[in-house]
Structure formats: C-alpha cells, structure tokens
Amino acid sequence: MWGGRFAEGPSAIMREINASIPFDKALWRQDITASKAHVAMLGAQGIVSAEDAATITTGLDRVAAEYEAHGVPENWDLEDIHMTTESRLAELIGPVAGRLHTARSRNDQVATDFRLWVREAMEQADAGLHALQVALVTRADEHADSIMPGFTHLQTAQPVTLGHHLMAYYEMAARDRSRFADARARMNQSPLGAAALAGTGFPIDRHATAAALGFDAPTRNSLDSVSDRDFALDYLMAAAQTALHLSRLAEEFIIWASQPFGFVRLPDSLSTGSSIMPQKKNPDAAELVRGHAGRIVGCLTSLMITMKGLPLAYSKDMQDDKPPVFEAAGLLTLCIAAMTGMVEATTFRTDRMRAAAELGYATATDLADWLVRQAGIPFREAHHITGSAVKLAESRGIALDQLPLADLQAIDARVDERVYAALSVEASVAARASYGGTAPEQVKARVAEARVALGLE
Ligand code: ARG
C-alpha cells in the first residue's frame, strides 16, 4: 500500500508485530458497512462517478459474501481488516477499487468500525441484562415472602425475604443497563471523514455518512475523532462494573450451595462433578463468573494503560485497543448468560433458609424496637436490655422467644407478654415495611413496578 516510499519490504518481525488481522478480522461486517456508506456518499457528492460507486458497492457485497462463507483470510502482509478487504476488492473489480479510499484514512476507518462494533456490544449487554432482570424478578415474585437470614459481615443480622435479596441484584442490573445506555448515547457520533487527522479537502458529506450508519451526528473535531477511545473505555467500565455485580451474585450462590448453608440446589446443567469424589456437585459456573470478573477488570486496566500519555493524534499503540474489548465482551456475554440460567433454574431450599433465619438471634433488633415503641425506652437502653436477653438465651442454648416472661422481666420489668408477637421471623420481616424494606408487601410492590419497567405487563 505504500511501496512508492520504501526501498525494502518489512522484516518478518515487522510484519508480525504490525499485523492486527488475527484479531481485527472480527470487525469485517462493520468495515464493509462503513465502506458502503462512504462510497455511497462519494458517489452522491460526485467525488467518484455513480458507475464506479456502484461497481465498488457490488464488489464489497461480494467480499462480504466470501467472508461469510469462508471466513476472513489471514495474510500478515495485508496487516489488518481494512487492507485485507481493499486488496480482495481490487482482485475482484480491478483498479477502480483504489477509489474507495478517497477522502478517507484507516485512522477514521478503524475509529468508525470499532465504534459500530462497540455500539453493538453495548446493545448486547443491555439485552443480556434485561433477561437476567426478568429471571430475578420472576424468582423474587415466587419468593416475596420466603424468609431467610439477612447478613452483615456474613453474620446473621435480621431476617429478610429471599425476594428482597434477589431484587437487590435487579437494582444493580438496572444501574448497569443505564451505564451502557449512557455510554451508547455519548458515543453515538460518527468519526468517518476525519480522515488521517485533519479532515479532508474533498467535498464530503459527513452528515450523510453519519446518518447512514445510525449515528446521531458527525464528531466535531477530527483530531479527537481518530485519537480517542473513550467510547471503548466507557464500554469496559460499564462491563467491569457489571462483572463485579455478577461476581457478587455468583459468590452468593457458591456460599448458598455449600453443605453447611444448603440454601440452594444448583441446576445440574450449570454444575460439574468431581473425577475422584463421587458425591460432589461443584458450582464451577459460578466460580468462573467470579473469576472472569477479574479478567474483565484486567481488560479495562489494559486499555486504560494503552491510552495513557498518547499525544494526539493516532499512534499505533491504539491498535491494541481491540483485544481487551473483544475479550471482555465475550466473557461478559457468557457471565450474564450463566447467571441468568442459574437464577432461573436454582432450587431454593426455603425450609433450610427459614430454619437458618431462626438461628443467630436474628430478631434481637425487633425486641429492642418493641421496647422503644411499647415501653417508651430510649433505643440505646433498649439495645442494652436486649443484649442481656440474648446473652441469657445463648447461655441456655435457646431462642429469644423461648425465654420465659419471668426471665425477660427480671432483666427489665417493663417487658410484658405482648413482646412474643414481635419476636417471630414473620413478624420481623412484616414489620420492615418502610419504602424499599424487606416486608413481603414492599417486595411485591417493587416486583410489580419492575415487571412494568421490563415490559412484562
Ligand atoms: N490496524 C490499525 C488499527 O487498528 C488501523 C489504523 C492504522 N493506521 C495507521 N496510520 N497505521 O489501529
């Protein structure tokens, strides 16, 4: 492509280090689409003849059909997807192929192709997260009043409902989707026509190519257009945040599936056995979701470090933008699908959850709250009285509501028999009916709103 300037060809090492075709061939559809938009505009503007534009368009369709049928050939001498396509186009239609690159550079070409690819990845993440939300809401609806222990520090804290716990992840997924939506809106401008870095002297119509490619407008600064990759970083940041959420959900399933907890039976389809221990059923899919989160964060770090300190405009370092984005996108799609399947098909052992909620004095706060409300005791004092009651119950190995009234009254005379009604786990969750609280009626209200938001109603 630049033989005119050079006396010698590249060394084998130069060819190898320079070649991006092994990975950027993934951009072939976007490359063809953007080239077709470009050549249609060149024809409409009279920069190439209508006949040449038509020949090039037909040729591009033929190249696309070949890629579709046989894959993209990987020839390092052709460096990247842009040169590979142009070279094949020239073989098919002859020298007229050389007119396609008028008023364009690979710098704005790759920026355009990659934006189109990342935009689709954002849409795919959104669709995947929507499916995960549907699964969460469906299971939350089923379990709006199933009681389980709620934890802080992974120590039993207060009873909650399983539906409430699952809806927490629905909220995280909603914010993750909004991050992808924000990023998509921000990035949806076309860099095509920025050319190498300074724009072009040809009378191009950037608004036309922007519209043809589904962008809201052309970008406003040609240097920025070819040299920034913040749209890819926005994608990776949203992907990393999503992966962190998925990893936490995966961790819950891992803990819940362990024998001491026994809160869930994971679906066989998302578990593995052991080659030596016949009794084992391992939560490998969940563990890999937890593990992959680390890799996705690594992809974000990788591109951040690539971009750090690059002067304007394009530098070849930026060719390294693609592998981390491709890797993260593949992993993210898989992780979302795995967690969706797990939420859909896990058996929740609500009897075990309910029994665990009875342990660990989960309703101690309810006793303290009762002392405040019914006996007018300041909360700090009520906390102290309750602490003494827990200590006594613990020393006898019984639950709070198994303490005889006389013993409770010995700790504080203001206690009366009505307290027992407040100490059951059912009463505990029902009492937490503040907006966004764990009470079944609150969970059902949030589920109903979520079903509308998801388009299920
Ligand atoms: N393969 C290159 C990349 O992905 C295309 C842009 C090359 N531009 C250049 N001036 N060498 O970044």
Side-chain angles (χ1 to χ4, degrees), residues 20 24 79-80 82 106-107 110 314 316 318-319 322:
S20 56
D24 69 16
E79 223 183 293
D80 58 24
H82 322 296
R106 279 188 297 156
N107 295 349
V110 73
Y314 178 87
K316 200 59 175 269
M318 288 165 64
Q319 179 163 280
K322 286 169 273 311

Side-chain angles (χ1 to χ4, degrees), residues 2 18-21 23-24 27 78-83 105-111 114 196 226 229 314-322:
W2 48 72
N18 210 28
S20 56
I21 187 67
F23 53 86
D24 69 16
L27 295 176
L78 294 174
E79 223 183 293
D80 58 24
I81 185 60
H82 322 296
M83 307 238 271
S105 152
R106 279 188 297 156
N107 295 349
D108 60 338
Q109 194 179 352
V110 73
F114 197 32
V226 296
R229 292 294 181 267
Y314 178 87
S315 297
K316 200 59 175 269
D317 316 42
M318 288 165 64
Q319 179 163 280
D320 284 342
D321 57 359
K322 286 169 273 311

